[in-house]
Amino acid sequence: MSQAAVAAHGAEVHHEELGFWRRYVFSTDHKTIGRQFLFLGLVMMLLGGILALLVRWELGWPETRVPLMGWVPEPFMYDGYMGPEFYNAVFTMHATIMIFFAVMPILVGGFGNFLIPLMIGARDMAFPFLNMLSFWVAVVAGVIMLAGFFVPGGHAATGWTAYAPLSAVPTYSGVDWGQNLWCLSLIVLGISSLMGSINYITTVVNMRAPGMTFFRLPLVIWSLFIVAILLLLALPVLTAALGMLLFDRMAGTSFFLPEGGGEPLLWQHLFWFFGHPEVYILILPAMGVASEILPVFARKPIFGYRAMAYSMIAIAFLSWIVWGHHMFQSGMNPTLGSTFMITTMLIAVPSAIKTFNWLGTLWGGDIHFTTPMLNALAFVSMFVIGGLSGIYMASTPVDIFIHDTYFIVAHIHYVVFGGSVFAIFAAVYYWFPKMFGRMMNETLGKIHFWLTFVAFNCTFFPMHILGVGGHMRRIYNPLQYEFLKPLQPINEFISISAICLGIAQIPFIVNFFWSLAFGRKAERNPWKANTLEWDAPSPPPHGNFESIPTVYRGPYEYSSPLVPEDWLPQTRRLAPERAAAATVS
Amino acid sequence: MLRWLPENVSTYGEKIDGIFYLIYYITGATFVLVTALLVAFLVLYRHRPGRKAVYTHGNTALEITWTIVPAVIMVVLGLVSKARWDEVKVDIPRGDIQVRVTGKQFNWEILYPGPDGKFDTEDDLQIDNDLHVPVGKVVRVALRSKDVIHSFFLPHLRLKQDTVPGREILTWFEATKPGTYEIPCAELCGFGHSGMKGTLYVHTPEDYARWVAEKWPAQQARLGTKSEAEARG
Ligand code: HEM
Ligand SMILES: [Cu+2]
Ligand SMILES: [Cu+2]
């Protein structure tokens, strides 16, 4: 399609009236698809959160009646009491849902879809139909996953890591169709992500507006672009592994079963070859979001733009050669463990670079504490804790002790909740005006932030202590162990904090829906930001821009001496003489 | 925070804890530094009317510094860690005592080779979940699994090693203090994972001899000479 045809197409679509179904349900508009992914992810996050509270209840007050859960039928719960089988399914599904159906859909599916065309100055994705398909395939995956709760034998109960042979032989875990559906769902979800990632890569490479060079891309686009490449390369490995697992379960192939000549550790290698890039799939977009929001509210260019982009590339590259750090104690050749330790230690370096660059961005700034900014700042400081705790586990001898303890659980949550989820909140508060054309309420936003921040730390920081005390993960009743009994008050404290953390989300839900309907109408550029999405109306119409913008500079020209105001949009053309005058005056 | 570590009763445990403390100080200092800077910047550079932010895109010297310094720290930490790791997991000593521990849903089968020191012979003795060892002797453990992956965890000895069906994995420890310690399973292994645990009995030499005498009354004499010979050699 020629440039003129694209423009004509955009203008024509702008006026075309689409029916309800094409507009809201089977839409090919990247913005609608982005919003759909966001809703899907938020709903699933709520479900995942409820499952987490069940886990916490069990650990805080083991083998007692769970309040409000009397309605769950046998054999899952017995008049509100849960058994170990159900407990295992609950934490398995908590992690599965949070990782695959909440954080990934929101950050990659939701914001990826919404932001990529808008921020590179395109009218839509390269393959709008494929994009729509990718959302609906994800819905199918979600339905299959949820169906697992209702099959006899219950849902998958082998952890989100599904280590074989436990996961490969139905009698070992006592779960039959639950685990099959779990595999099937993730295979289908993998197809959805593949479609999405091909789309993202093509769009970023081919559809950038005139003047939008790679080094003028906003960092969040860099992060999503890198994530798409990671997805493209990592997910097929998981899909293949899941296929093999299904064959082992249903066709007697024994890929992972030693009796039939298979190898249990093969599953772990395949899983973590996917799994470690996966954790970076969860965090890179979050880093991108923080890199977007900090400059806007510090009114300052990002510190070390190129270092930020290169360090994300370095992280992506290194993430392929560290997977063995999940297997130090697995029986893998211990000498190989040392190699993986060194690569793992190295991946802390680009993480450190990013942190210091964020600090550099704040230095000398003009900092406005809006709700998106507070959440972005929380992201930075919580990511620091999560990154530092990774170093303990990267050290192989220390990992001997803390592997499979609550220390790992603390680490995971500092990076995935403290990192990714705070970034999700930051992104929702920041882009809500563009997505829905209305502002969110700042007061409610701040209440939500502070309650969440405090409750989050009370919930997850003490888990480091449990881990240091040797508390294993994935156990149903810590009181079965003498050496864990002194830790029980900490478990109770954590569970109470977790309940508070859940309650702290109510202001967010209220704010979200209230603002959707009654929020103050948003102007085009409420935050006075530079990137292209703020050049489009709020919310942008089908086709996004009145005319395709031309880009003159990088995305972070805040407080530039060239202009009197403290922002300088990427699209604003400065006449050379005016620029000169501005510096003189 | 590290005072919550269970009491250490193994020879290499102290060295592992040493690295634990080293990392604790390094990460603690980093955390304090970063957080102090963050808070200071937030206070110093909060919005005040009429002030504009500093316009800068970075500082190469600074950026090189904060790349090199963490890289050097990490590499040093890696080298220190490798030495300890090799001691625990790579260079497995022959051992004064041999046992075979087999994980199965949901027990540890402990197999003692008996006085002849060889497994799969007449005098072998299997006891579920109870592991008896003498203090101050190197115990070499051969780990196996009958069904799924389990993880042999001795929190007080700073030892953890998964057991994998289809292979035998060797590991070792030397206890420094008599007492009884729990042996939880640390890898999810099914509905009975929680509560899958054994007990490690670390005996004084006299108690251990008594226990052996009780279990293998016939060969008591032979065993006595053997262990004396070993002690001298
Ligand atoms: C400084 C960078 C990091 C280092 C050095 C690091 C190191 C590690 C190590 C060594 C483990 C395995 C521990 C064990 O099981 O014994 C681990 C587990 C894990 N890490 Fe990290 N990590 C880092 C950053 C991240 C980030 C950014 C994320 C996610 C956004 C993440 C998510 C996870 C998760 C989910 C697990 C646990 C997986 C499981 O067993 O279920 N990590 N990390
Ligand atoms: Cu990893
Ligand atoms: Cu177990």
Side-chain angles (χ1 to χ4, degrees):
Chain A
M1 226 191 291
S2 74
Q3 203 61 37
V6 173
H9 171 74
E12 156 213 326
V13 166
H14 191 77
H15 295 290
E16 188 188 337
E17 275 305 315
L18 293 169
F20 171 83
W21 286 95
R22 288 293 314 282
R23 230 168 118 165
Y24 297 109
V25 184
F26 297 109
S27 169
T28 55
D29 182 340
H30 73 99
K31 297 179 293 299
T32 306
I33 298 169
R35 287 182 285 246
Q36 287 172 323
F37 267 116
L38 176 67
F39 281 116
L40 172 73
L42 288 175
V43 169
M44 292 300 247
M45 191 180 268
L46 196 65
L47 176 62
I50 293 169
L51 294 173
L53 291 183
L54 283 178
V55 172
R56 274 325 312 177
W57 184 275
E58 183 59 37
L59 289 173
W61 303 280
E63 303 191 44
T64 58
R65 200 164 181 279
V66 189
L68 308 177
M69 284 291 148
W71 54 273
V72 180
E74 292 180 20
F76 303 112
M77 289 179 91
Y78 301 87
D79 186 32
Y81 291 87
M82 61 174 121
E85 300 87 348
F86 184 62
Y87 176 79
N88 289 357
V90 168
F91 70 68
T92 299
M93 292 319 298
H94 159 68
T96 304
I97 286 179
M98 285 301 196
I99 290 172
F100 293 102
F101 289 97
V103 175
M104 263 172 97
I106 295 177
L107 280 177
V108 185
F111 288 102
N113 260 307
F114 188 80
L115 296 177
I116 290 176
L118 274 169
M119 291 182 92
I120 66 172
R123 295 212 181 273
D124 206 321
M125 286 286 182
F127 310 116
F129 181 76
L130 196 66
N131 207 12
M132 175 188 84
L133 214 57
S134 127
F135 174 73
W136 286 104
V137 170
V139 172
V140 171
V143 169
I144 298 174
M145 191 56 89
L146 295 182
F149 282 107
F150 304 100
V151 294
H155 215 318
T158 58
W160 80 284
T161 50
Y163 277 12
L166 181 62
S167 59
V169 180
T171 48
Y172 284 155
S173 69
V175 176
D176 195 358
W177 268 95
Q179 190 79 44
N180 295 349
L181 290 175
W182 184 89
C183 294
L184 210 61
S185 164
L186 292 184
I187 290 174
V188 174
L189 188 71
I191 297 169
S192 155
S193 297
L194 266 188
M195 294 193 277
S197 58
I198 292 170
N199 216 346
Y200 290 8
I201 294 171
T202 316
T203 306
V204 173
V205 171
N206 283 329
M207 311 223 351
R208 282 167 289 124
M212 182 62 94
T213 60
F214 262 91
F215 282 108
R216 283 180 183 169
L217 281 178
L219 287 168
V220 72
I221 302 301
W222 264 110
S223 74
L224 289 162
F225 180 63
I226 293 169
V227 160
I229 295 171
L230 286 180
L231 277 170
L232 188 69
L233 300 177
L235 272 168
V237 179
L238 177 69
T239 307
L242 289 166
M244 291 159 83
L245 189 60
L246 265 183
F247 276 128
D248 270 12
R249 292 179 65 81
M250 305 181 75
T253 46
S254 297
F255 288 113
F256 306 122
L257 298 172
E259 309 87 277
E263 171 53 72
L265 291 192
L266 176 62
W267 166 263
Q268 294 183 31
H269 281 294
L270 292 173
F271 182 84
W272 288 116
F273 187 81
F274 147 82
H276 193 84
E278 168 67 20
V279 305
Y280 282 96
I281 289 166
L282 301 175
I283 201 74
L284 282 169
M287 293 173 163
V289 166
S291 305
E292 227 44 58
I293 292 175
L294 293 181
V296 172
F297 296 104
R299 312 308 291 164
K300 230 190 125 226
I302 190 96
F303 202 86
Y305 173 91
R306 285 203 180 219
M308 288 302 238
Y310 288 135
S311 58
M312 284 198 279
I313 295 171
I315 287 177
F317 174 74
L318 286 171
S319 78
W320 295 107
I321 50 170
V322 299
W323 82 88
H325 68 213
H326 297 272
M327 300 171 61
F328 288 148
Q329 321 309 333
S330 69
M332 171 183 79
N333 184 332
T335 306
L336 190 55
S338 297
T339 314
F340 279 115
M341 167 174 61
I342 295 297
T343 55
T344 302
M345 296 248 169
L346 288 182
I347 210 168
V349 175
S351 311
I353 296 177
K354 299 199 77 75
T355 306
F356 286 116
N357 277 329
W358 286 319
L359 281 182
T361 305
L362 296 172
W363 171 81
D366 171 26
I367 300 171
H368 297 254
F369 294 98
T370 58
T371 311
M373 183 65 164
L374 290 173
N375 282 284
L377 291 168
F379 164 85
V380 173
S381 62
M382 297 301 99
F383 176 73
V384 169
I385 299 182
L388 290 174
S389 67
I391 296 173
Y392 292 76
M393 293 123 61
S395 167
T396 42
V398 177
D399 185 68
I400 296 175
F401 181 71
I402 56 182
H403 174 65
D404 265 328
T405 66
Y406 257 77
F407 202 91
I408 311 295
V409 180
H411 165 75
I412 299 173
H413 288 93
Y414 266 90
V415 280
V416 181
F417 194 133
S420 309
V421 175
F422 273 112
I424 286 175
F425 288 141
V428 169
Y429 286 113
Y430 181 66
W431 279 294
F432 192 91
K434 190 54 62 184
M435 287 186 121
F436 302 106
R438 291 176 187 274
M439 305 297 289
M440 286 182 85
N441 181 295
E442 274 286 307
T443 314
L444 272 178
K446 285 188 176 139
I447 294 173
H448 167 236
F449 169 75
W450 283 111
L451 291 178
T452 304
F453 186 75
V454 172
F456 165 79
N457 281 293
C458 290
T459 305
F460 294 107
F461 197 83
M463 288 186 188
H464 293 105
I465 299 177
L466 290 184
V468 169
H471 193 306
M472 292 77 71
R473 57 195 283 215
R474 298 172 173 178
I475 54 172
Y476 162 70
N477 183 351
L479 297 178
Q480 288 167 316
Y481 303 86
E482 286 309 316
F483 78 110
L484 295 182
K485 280 184 182 157
L487 297 168
Q488 196 53 22
I490 304 182
N491 256 328
E492 280 181 41
F493 176 78
I494 291 175
S495 294
I496 293 169
S497 307
I499 293 168
C500 296
L501 185 57
I503 294 171
Q505 303 318 305
I506 293 173
F508 176 72
I509 298 171
V510 171
N511 195 352
F512 191 94
F513 287 105
W514 186 86
S515 307
L516 213 52
F518 308 111
R520 182 161 55 79
K521 280 253 190 298
E523 35 183 311
R524 231 171 237 254
N525 191 356
W527 313 117
K528 309 265 177 283
N530 289 343
T531 40
L532 298 188
E533 77 274 28
W534 304 106
D535 230 46
S538 297
H542 202 144
N544 295 346
F545 301 97
E546 285 94 344
S547 63
I548 291 291
T550 305
V551 174
Y552 295 99
R553 61 185 62 75
Y556 304 115
E557 291 300 304
Y558 294 98
S559 301
S560 160
L562 297 181
V563 287
E565 358 14 292
D566 63 0
W567 83 104
L568 180 52
Q570 288 189 278
T571 52
R572 183 151 145 216
R573 178 167 193 180
L574 286 185
E577 59 280 19
R578 240 196 92 203
T583 22
V584 175
S585 64
Chain B
M1 192 170 77
L2 297 190
R3 69 188 177 82
W4 290 91
L5 274 169
E7 181 192 7
N8 165 53
V9 298
S10 80
T11 46
Y12 50 64
E14 216 166 318
K15 299 175 194 167
I16 291 178
D17 289 357
I19 303 183
F20 213 147
Y21 274 95
L22 176 68
I23 299 178
Y24 183 57
Y25 294 131
I26 295 176
T27 54
T30 314
F31 173 73
V32 170
L33 173 80
V34 171
T35 308
L37 283 177
L38 182 69
V39 172
F41 290 171
L42 295 183
V43 174
L44 284 175
Y45 304 114
R46 66 188 183 279
H47 169 70
R48 270 162 298 170
R51 202 175 51 84
K52 223 176 164 180
V54 178
Y55 178 74
T56 167
H57 283 95
N59 178 318
T60 313
L62 265 178
E63 288 180 52
I64 290 177
T65 314
W66 64 51
T67 307
I68 306 268
V69 171
V72 170
I73 295 178
M74 287 298 138
V75 169
V76 171
L77 210 55
L79 293 177
V80 176
S81 298
K82 181 174 185 304
R84 300 292 175 248
W85 172 252
D86 285 355
E87 186 179 339
V88 181
K89 294 266 174 145
V90 180
D91 311 320
I92 315 264
R94 266 194 57 242
D96 307 317
I97 310 273
Q98 320 274 337
V99 285
R100 181 191 289 164
V101 176
T102 305
K104 65 161 194 236
Q105 288 181 328
F106 299 98
N107 280 302
W108 297 115
E109 286 179 4
I110 318 276
L111 187 72
Y112 298 87
D116 66 354
K118 292 198 184 72
F119 289 113
D120 306 311
T121 53
E122 284 274 283
D123 60 350
D124 289 7
L125 181 69
Q126 186 190 310
I127 308 176
D128 276 3
N129 294 324
D130 288 351
L131 175 53
H132 294 265
V133 301
V135 70
K137 293 271 184 215
V138 173
V139 181
R140 175 153 141 163
V141 188
L143 290 168
R144 296 185 174 190
S145 168
K146 273 199 172 147
D147 36 46
V148 303
I149 295 174
H150 304 269
S151 191
F152 182 71
F153 183 23
L154 291 170
H156 298 87
L157 290 103
R158 309 294 187 262
L159 175 62
K160 186 181 288 123
Q161 176 59 56
D162 288 4
T163 71
V164 181
R167 59 166 83 185
E168 184 173 272
I169 299 169
L170 295 179
T171 191
W172 72 283
F173 63 84
E174 180 181 336
T176 55
K177 188 180 160 193
T180 56
Y181 310 98
E182 281 165 299
I183 315 176
C185 168
E187 183 66 62
L188 177 64
C189 56
F191 66 86
H193 165 57
S194 183
M196 170 171 171
K197 63 168 183 177
T199 310
L200 171 70
Y201 297 89
V202 178
H203 297 287
T204 59
E206 305 80 56
D207 279 352
Y208 185 68
R210 211 169 300 134
W211 178 78
V212 170
E214 198 181 292
K215 293 297 172 192
W216 289 274
Q219 286 100 337
Q220 193 187 345
R222 248 177 70 200
L223 179 83
T225 50
K226 184 168 174 268
S227 62
E228 264 168 37
E230 253 174 27
R232 264 182 272 113

